Amino acid sequence: VEQIVGKYNYWIYIILMMIGFYAMIGKRNLVKKLIGMNIFQTSIILFFISTGSKKGATIPIVTNGHGTMHQAIEAIHYVNPLPHVLMLTAIVVMVSTFGVALALLLMIYRRYQTLEEDKILSLRKK
Amino acid sequence: VLPFPILIIVAPLISAFLIVLAGSFKRSLCYPIMLAALAVSAFSSLAILQEVIHHGPVRYYLGNWNPPWGIEYVIDHLNGFVAVVVSIIGLLIGISSKKMVEQALPMRLPYFYCLFLLQVTGLLGIVVTGDVFNLYVFLEIASLAGYALIAIGEEGAPFASFNYMIYGTLGACFYLLGVGYLYIVTGSLNMADLSRLLPSLYSSKVVLMAFAFFLVGIAIKMALFPLHVWLPDAYTYAPSSVSALVAPLTTKVGAYVLIRVMYTVFKPVFSTELIPASTILSWVAFFAILFGCILALGQRDLKRMLAYVLIAEVGYIALGVGLGNRNGLTGAILHIMNDALMMASLFLIVGAITYKGWSRQFHKFNGLHRKMPVTTAVFVISALSVIGIPPACGFFSKWYLVLGAIDAKQWLFAAVLLVSSLLNAIIFFRAIERVYFEPVAEGHDILLTEEKAGFTWDEAPLSILIPMVLLAAGILSVGLLSGTIISGVIQFAVPANF
C-alpha cells in the first residue's frame, strides 16, 4: 500500500502514459491520436518534475550568498531545478510537434474531407 | 584554431533562417546560401576527422561550461566518421536538389531549403553531441524537419507523414524516458560521465529500464524491423530530393546512436554479457533482413522497393552491432558509410528518373538505358554494391559482417547474410533486366517513331548527374580504400576490449 500511496505521482504518470499510448495506437481518428500523443508527452513532463521535487524543500536560490557569511549549501533543502529546465526544453519540442501535427491534419483534411483513418485508407485505395 | 565542432552545427542552423530572410528579397540567393552552409559543415567535419586521427578525440565545451554540468561536443573516431558521411552526403544531395525542387515546388523554395538545412543540422547535432539530453533535442529537430519535408510530397504524403510523426514521437518519448531514468540514478546527462558512473549500478532495475527504453526508442527512429511500419509509406511519398536526403541519413544516424548507447554510455560488458540485449538485437536484425528482402521482392514501385531494401540494410547494421565482436562491429560501422552512399545514390536515381517524367513502376522502364545511359550505369553500380559484388563497397562491409557472424559461431546469421545477397540480386536484376534487355514495348506511338529515328539522349540535368556520378565514384573508391578506412579510423571506433 505504501508503494502505491507514497509514490502516487509516479502511478499517475504511468496511468496517463498508458492512456496516451492507447489513444495513439488504438484510436482510428487522427485527432484522437494527436490528443493521445499530447497526453503521453505530458505524462513524461509529470515524471520529470516528480523526480526533481522534494517534500518541504524550497526553491533553489541561495539567499545570503555573495559576500555575507559563506554557508554550505545542502542539496536536500532545495528542489532540484534541472529536471524543470529539461522540461522547459521538452515543452518547446512538444509544442512544435503539436503545431506540425495540426498543420499535417489540415493538409489531410483538405485533401480527403475527413480525419477518420479508415475512410482515408478506403479513399486512397480507389 | 577555428572552433570546428560548433561550426558543423552553427553554419547550417544560422543559414536555415538566413535563407528565409534572403529568399523573401531574392529567390535565387537560397540555393547558393544552402550550398555554402553545407560546404562549411562538410569542410569542418573533414577538418575535425583529420584532427581526431592525428591527435585523438576533440572536445568542445559550449559556453565554456565544463562537463558534466555544461553541454559538450565530443568527437572521436566513431562520430567523426559518421559526421563526415552525413555532411558530405548532405552536400551532394543539396547540390542535386536544385532542379528537382524547382520542378516540384517553385513557390516555396526558401522554406524548403530552410527545412532541408534544419534536417541536416539535426542529424549532425545528434552525431557530434556528447550529452544525452542534447541528443534528444537534436533528434526532435531532425524529426520535425523530416515530418514537414515528407509532407510536401505527392498524394499520400501528409497521411504517411502523420503516421511517421506518431511513431517518431513515441520513439523520441521513449528515448526521453530513458534519459530521465538514467538521470534519477546518476544525476548526470553527460555521456562520458554516465559511462563512468553507471558500472556500479548495472544491477539496478532502473538502469535496466532506461536501457530498454533507449533501445526501443532508437529502434523506432532507425526503423528496425517490427517498428519499421512508418518507413515505406513516408519514404515512398516524400519528394525525390527529400527521400534522397532522409532515407540514407536518418536510419544511419539512428544506427550510430544505437552503437553509442550500447557501447559508450553503457559498457560492452553490460550490453553483451550482463543482459542478453545484443543477442536479442541480432535476432531482431535477422528477421529484419529476411523481412525487408522478401517484401522488397513483392514491390513493383522502384522507390517503395528501395524503402524495403533500406529496412533490410538497417537489419545488417543492427546485426553487426548485436554480434558484439570486433569484426561484426567493424562491419556495422563500415556499413553505415557504405549504405548511406548506396541509398543516397539509388534514391537520387529514382529522383532523376521521375524528374524526366518516367513512371516509378519498373515494368515501364523498357528502353531507359538508351535515354538515360549515365543514370542507368550508376544504377547498376549501386545495385551491384547492395548485392555485394567485390569492387563496390557493399561487399566489404558484408564481408566483415559475415566474418563477425563466424567469429560469434552464429552460422544462421552468416547464412542469412548470404541469402539476403541472393535475394538482393533477384530484386535488383528484375529492374536491371527491364532497363537493359527488354525490347521497347510495342503500341507506344511516341516510342515507335523515336525508335526509327534512333534514341536521343534525354539525361537528367547536370546538377543531378554530377552528385550521382560522384556517389558512384564514392561507392567504388570507398570499396577499394576500405582497408585504409578500417585501419585508419574504424578500428579505433570499436571499443578496445572487443
Side-chain angles (χ1 to χ4, degrees):
Chain A
V1 181
E2 245 169 57
Q3 278 285 320
I4 296 171
V5 180
K7 296 198 156 97
Y8 65 93
N9 43 356
Y10 291 100
W11 287 103
I12 294 173
Y13 131 71
I14 289 171
I15 292 166
L16 277 178
M17 190 170 130
M18 286 304 120
I19 294 172
F21 192 60
Y22 165 72
M24 281 168 93
I25 303 297
K27 290 290 176 192
R28 303 298 288 171
N29 182 301
L30 298 186
V31 179
K32 284 181 185 166
K33 280 191 176 196
L34 186 59
I35 294 171
M37 190 173 99
N38 232 11
I39 297 174
F40 192 92
Q41 292 173 324
T42 313
S43 76
I44 293 176
I45 298 182
L46 176 63
F47 162 69
F48 266 84
I49 300 297
S50 301
T51 63
S53 73
K54 300 183 186 96
K55 275 212 180 89
T58 175
I59 47 170
I61 295 173
V62 183
T63 43
N64 45 4
H66 203 70
T68 56
M69 45 179 199
H70 188 75
Q71 58 185 65
I73 299 165
E74 288 198 35
I76 196 91
H77 295 150
Y78 297 98
V79 168
N80 185 355
L82 196 113
H84 296 63
V85 179
L86 295 185
M87 281 309 102
L88 281 181
T89 316
I91 287 170
V92 173
V93 170
M94 288 164 194
V95 168
S96 32
T97 313
F98 198 64
V100 175
L102 286 176
L104 287 177
L105 286 184
L106 260 179
M107 284 174 85
I108 295 171
Y109 189 76
R110 283 194 189 138
R111 197 160 293 182
Y112 305 107
Q113 300 300 319
T114 176
L115 286 172
E116 296 292 334
E117 198 176 354
D118 301 327
K119 279 189 193 160
I120 294 172
L121 288 177
S122 66
L123 276 174
R124 282 191 45 205
K125 286 242 170 69
K126 276 173 200 165
Chain B
V1 184
L2 279 167
F4 284 123
I6 195 71
L7 263 183
I8 294 185
I9 308 298
V10 163
L13 183 64
I14 303 274
S15 320
F17 301 107
L18 210 63
I19 276 184
V20 180
L21 272 181
S24 57
F25 294 115
K26 205 167 182 328
R27 206 146 275 233
S28 55
L29 279 176
C30 298
Y31 183 66
I33 293 179
M34 180 195 66
L35 285 193
L38 291 174
V40 170
S41 289
F43 176 76
S44 332
S45 54
L46 278 172
I48 295 178
L49 187 63
Q50 191 75 13
E51 173 93 13
V52 170
I53 290 172
H54 290 300
H55 307 289
V58 178
R59 286 160 185 280
Y60 180 87
Y61 303 150
L62 276 145
N64 272 332
W65 289 92
N66 288 344
W69 298 283
I71 293 171
E72 62 168 343
Y73 287 172
V74 187
I75 293 146
D76 59 10
H77 289 86
L78 175 59
N79 56 359
F81 174 74
V82 181
V84 168
V85 173
V86 171
S87 57
I88 285 183
I89 290 195
L91 178 63
L92 288 177
I93 303 298
I95 295 173
S96 76
S97 70
K98 185 174 178 13
K99 293 280 176 187
M100 287 192 274
V101 179
E102 280 170 4
Q103 187 196 42
L105 32 135
M107 300 311 294
R108 305 267 168 85
L109 275 183
Y111 305 110
F112 175 86
Y113 285 130
C114 171
L115 288 172
F116 192 97
L117 281 180
L118 281 178
Q119 170 83 42
V120 177
T121 311
L123 293 173
L124 285 171
I126 296 172
V127 173
V128 296
T129 188
D131 183 280
V132 281
F133 189 78
N134 197 227
L135 199 153
Y136 163 76
V137 175
F138 278 120
L139 197 67
E140 283 298 61
I141 293 178
S143 307
L144 283 170
Y147 306 144
L149 281 172
I150 287 169
I152 54 183
E154 55 196 75
E155 196 254 326
F159 185 60
S161 175
F162 185 81
N163 267 340
Y164 175 21
M165 162 174 277
I166 293 286
Y167 280 98
T169 308
L170 265 184
C173 284
F174 281 146
Y175 179 88
L176 184 58
L177 277 174
V179 173
Y181 279 46
L182 280 194
Y183 181 74
I184 296 178
V185 285
T186 62
S188 178
L189 295 168
N190 183 286
M191 285 182 189
D193 202 32
L194 280 174
S195 115
R196 260 193 307 279
L197 291 170
L198 278 174
S200 57
L201 298 162
Y202 277 162
S203 53
S204 156
K205 285 237 167 53
V206 182
V207 173
L208 192 64
M209 273 312 286
F211 187 76
F213 274 133
F214 272 131
L215 236 53
V216 175
I218 297 164
I220 294 178
K221 285 286 179 189
M222 71 184 275
L224 193 56
F225 156 57
L227 306 168
H228 69 281
V229 271
W230 55 269
L231 188 142
D233 272 351
Y235 288 180
T236 309
Y237 298 128
S240 320
S241 44
V242 173
S243 38
L245 178 75
V246 292
L249 296 183
T250 312
T251 46
K252 301 300 139 355
V253 169
Y256 155 76
V257 181
L258 184 72
I259 298 175
R260 188 51 99 198
V261 166
M262 279 181 73
Y263 296 131
T264 304
V265 176
F266 291 87
K267 294 258 186 274
V269 185
F270 181 76
S271 313
T272 56
E273 287 164 29
L274 289 181
I275 58 169
S278 57
T279 317
I280 297 171
L281 187 69
S282 26
W283 277 105
V284 169
F286 173 86
F287 288 108
I289 296 172
L290 275 184
F291 174 88
C293 286
I294 290 169
L295 272 183
L297 267 179
Q299 305 304 321
R300 322 190 56 146
D301 178 333
L302 185 61
K303 211 172 174 186
R304 186 173 281 271
M305 181 190 97
L306 289 178
Y308 282 106
V309 172
L310 181 62
I311 291 170
E313 300 284 325
V314 169
Y316 288 145
I317 299 175
L319 179 61
V321 177
L323 285 172
N325 54 35
R326 182 162 275 275
N327 277 329
L329 198 57
T330 305
I333 297 171
L334 189 61
H335 203 65
I336 288 181
M337 171 166 72
N338 295 349
D339 193 46
L341 283 172
M342 298 180 311
M343 283 298 148
S345 124
L346 284 168
F347 275 95
L348 200 54
I349 289 161
V350 178
I353 293 171
T354 46
Y355 178 80
K356 277 290 156 195
W358 290 73
S359 154
R360 290 199 312 252
Q361 311 288 328
F362 53 73
H363 59 90
K364 293 185 187 151
F365 279 0
N366 300 3
L368 186 63
H369 77 288
R370 288 197 252 175
K371 288 265 187 191
M372 305 175 81
V374 182
T375 310
T376 46
V378 175
F379 178 66
V380 172
I381 293 175
S382 325
L384 291 183
S385 178
V386 176
I387 297 164
I389 308 283
C393 60
F395 168 76
F396 295 94
S397 40
K398 258 186 206 176
W399 174 254
Y400 277 97
L401 290 176
V402 173
L403 282 183
I406 293 172
D407 284 354
K409 300 209 164 39
Q410 298 283 1
W411 309 110
L412 219 49
F413 295 155
V416 80
L417 287 166
L418 302 178
V419 168
S420 81
S421 278
L422 285 178
L423 285 174
N424 271 326
I426 301 171
I427 291 166
F428 280 103
F429 272 102
R430 284 192 312 163
I432 292 174
E433 187 202 6
R434 277 287 169 190
V435 170
Y436 279 97
F437 303 117
E438 290 287 311
V440 177
E442 302 285 322
H444 290 263
D445 297 338
I446 313 155
L447 285 178
L448 274 175
T449 49
E450 274 187 56
E451 198 171 23
K452 277 175 199 151
F455 273 92
T456 43
W457 266 45
D458 189 18
E459 260 300 356
L462 274 183
S463 69
I464 303 179
L465 274 191
I466 290 172
M468 201 150 74
V469 171
L470 284 178
L471 282 170
I475 288 173
L476 292 177
S477 51
V478 161
L480 294 176
L481 294 174
S482 61
T484 327
I485 294 171
I486 289 170
S487 61
V489 183
I490 296 180
Q491 64 159 326
F492 302 106
V494 179
N497 50 354
F498 263 32

